[in-house]
Amino acid sequence: MTNMHYTLTFNTAAVKYQLHSSFGALDSLIDPANSIIITDTDVAGLYPHLFTGHRTVIIPAGERNKTLETVQYITEQLLQHQAHRKTFLVGIGGGTVTDITGFVASIYMRGLPFGFVPTTLLGMVDAAIGGKNGVNMGLHKNLLGTITQPQFILYFPSFLETLPIEEWSNGFAEVIKYACIFDKELFEELSDNNINYYQQNREALTTLISRCVDWKNKTVLEDEKESDKRKLLNFGHTAGHALETQYHIPHGHAVALGMIIACMVSEQVEGLDISVRKKLVALLQQYKLPTMISFDIEQVMNLLKMDKKRTTDTIDYIVLEGIGKAIIKNIQFDTIEKALVSFKDAGNY
């Protein structure tokens, strides 16, 4: 990832992507006297020394706290710190922290500058990239949000040294997503390795992260507001989000399950060979991700019908023509329901 030191210009902003070994590099991009860091209890507990000399707002860790109540708490803290329209916000944490930091920055006094320091694999390869910021409303994931680009995203791979194994799996779900929709060679590379390989091989890990960042940035540069190609990044997320919010499972786990369901939809509407699903299931298991769950079809369908991508009785769904090639297909909800029935009936893989 030595090449991750560049700036990309989107329709709305120029974003710097930088890799550093020392956290002190953050101070070269911000003025500590005119910035406020937002982080969570997990990161603050593991790295208290990093926040010395910085004004910091600490929120409870976890997706369940990505709510308007947390937004209100952060806003109250910003007021106490006398934050103004030129105050710079920095979100340091996983996807929940960066999502909510970007959202607060987008709406506080009609917009503050902000940047991200992702601390999880999922955040580094996906959540922090692309400008989507938002919060959940009840069981509806990211129902309220904005598309506003950060001014920078800083990568410090050393944060991953304290990442629990389940969070490594969580992140690899998004890596596998990129392989499925864009990159057959990446799918094969992942099949030849495992989590332990990337944990032990820093060069391979940073190259992997850079590869995912490049795929997402290339897609967002073409379609920042998600009117067309950016929708491909939702592979596994449509059914996955419904399972995630209904059953409170980790995001990566939900995406893993959603990708299997998407393969079943693909088998119906595109004639995808069942061997693709079998290869995907094997890869998910290799990276310690779930391939089955007990769920209520009616409850999941009710949430799907409130998805942001729906229109009346159809929805834009991402399906596969093969490994490394995805397309957007507008399909009927009963097609998804049929896939959910097949997935539930499949039982153990």
Side-chain angles (χ1 to χ4, degrees), residues 21-27 32 37 39-56 58 92 119 156 158-159 161-162:
S21 58
S22 170
F23 189 77
L26 176 63
D27 288 348
I37 290 174
T39 191
D40 65 21
T41 49
D42 284 350
V43 177
L46 285 167
Y47 304 100
H49 58 287
L50 297 182
F51 304 102
T52 302
H54 292 275
R55 293 183 292 171
T56 306
I58 301 173
I92 302 179
T119 61
F156 301 98
S158 57
F159 276 121
E161 294 172 5
T162 58

Side-chain angles (χ1 to χ4, degrees), residues 59-296:
I59 62 175
E63 173 79 15
R64 66 187 179 277
N65 297 299
K66 203 171 81 171
T67 64
L68 284 176
E69 287 77 14
T70 305
V71 170
Q72 181 174 346
Y73 169 75
I74 294 172
T75 301
E76 290 168 351
Q77 293 296 302
L78 295 181
L79 288 171
Q80 287 190 22
H81 284 298
Q82 299 183 350
H84 49 78
R85 294 183 71 175
K86 293 188 178 180
T87 300
F88 200 100
L89 301 188
V90 184
I92 302 179
T96 294
V97 169
T98 54
D99 272 9
I100 204 165
T101 298
F103 184 66
V104 170
S106 299
I107 63 174
Y108 183 87
M109 293 189 176
R110 298 197 175 98
L112 305 183
F114 65 99
F116 293 149
V117 182
T119 61
T120 64
L121 181 61
L122 192 150
M124 291 181 184
V125 301
D126 186 77
I129 310 164
K132 281 188 177 180
N133 318 287
V135 295
N136 306 329
M137 283 288 289
L139 295 179
H140 303 292
K141 190 170 172 66
N142 299 323
L143 189 65
L144 303 178
T146 65
I147 297 180
T148 313
Q149 298 293 343
Q151 288 193 8
F152 63 74
I153 303 177
L154 296 186
Y155 286 81
F156 301 98
S158 57
F159 276 121
L160 300 180
E161 294 172 5
T162 58
L163 199 66
I165 186 64
E166 58 268 24
E167 288 300 329
W168 280 89
S169 294
N170 232 5
F172 268 103
E174 295 287 359
V175 177
I176 292 169
K177 175 195 75 176
Y178 290 120
C180 285
I181 61 178
F182 293 134
D183 197 334
K184 185 177 180 180
E185 289 183 2
L186 176 57
F187 194 98
E188 293 169 354
E189 176 189 321
L190 293 169
S191 298
D192 290 338
N193 297 296
N194 54 33
I195 292 176
N196 184 64
Y197 168 77
Y198 291 105
Q199 286 177 318
Q200 300 300 319
N201 190 327
R202 175 62 68 85
E203 182 177 356
L205 174 63
T206 53
T207 299
L208 181 74
I209 293 171
S210 180
R211 194 167 180 171
C212 294
V213 171
D214 287 345
W215 274 121
K216 184 157 188 180
N217 273 326
K218 179 181 178 181
T219 307
V220 177
L221 279 168
E222 291 183 30
D223 177 26
E224 185 178 14
K225 299 298 184 179
E226 198 176 294
S227 60
D228 186 28
K229 187 175 180 180
R230 185 170 182 172
K231 294 177 182 179
L232 294 173
L233 299 172
N234 291 316
F235 178 67
H237 285 62
T238 306
H241 277 167
L243 291 169
E244 179 182 357
T245 56
Q246 183 69 53
Y247 298 102
H248 307 291
I249 59 177
H251 178 72
H253 289 198
V255 170
L257 298 166
M259 288 191 287
I260 299 172
I261 295 167
C263 281
M264 290 180 160
V265 173
S266 305
E267 290 161 18
Q268 290 185 62
V269 301
E270 286 298 311
L272 181 70
D273 194 283
I274 193 173
S275 63
V276 173
R277 177 171 25 120
K278 291 181 177 179
K279 289 178 182 179
L280 173 61
V281 167
L283 187 61
L284 294 172
Q285 292 172 341
Q286 192 169 318
Y287 284 84
K288 304 183 186 301
L289 287 158
T291 54
M292 62 172 293
I293 186 175
S294 177
F295 65 98
D296 184 282

Side-chain angles (χ1 to χ4, degrees), residues 292-309:
M292 62 172 293
I293 186 175
S294 177
F295 65 98
D296 184 282
I297 292 174
E298 183 178 359
Q299 290 178 338
V300 171
M301 286 302 302
N302 287 339
L303 285 174
L304 277 169
K305 289 173 182 178
M306 286 301 296
D307 190 280
K308 300 184 294 297
K309 298 176 288 298

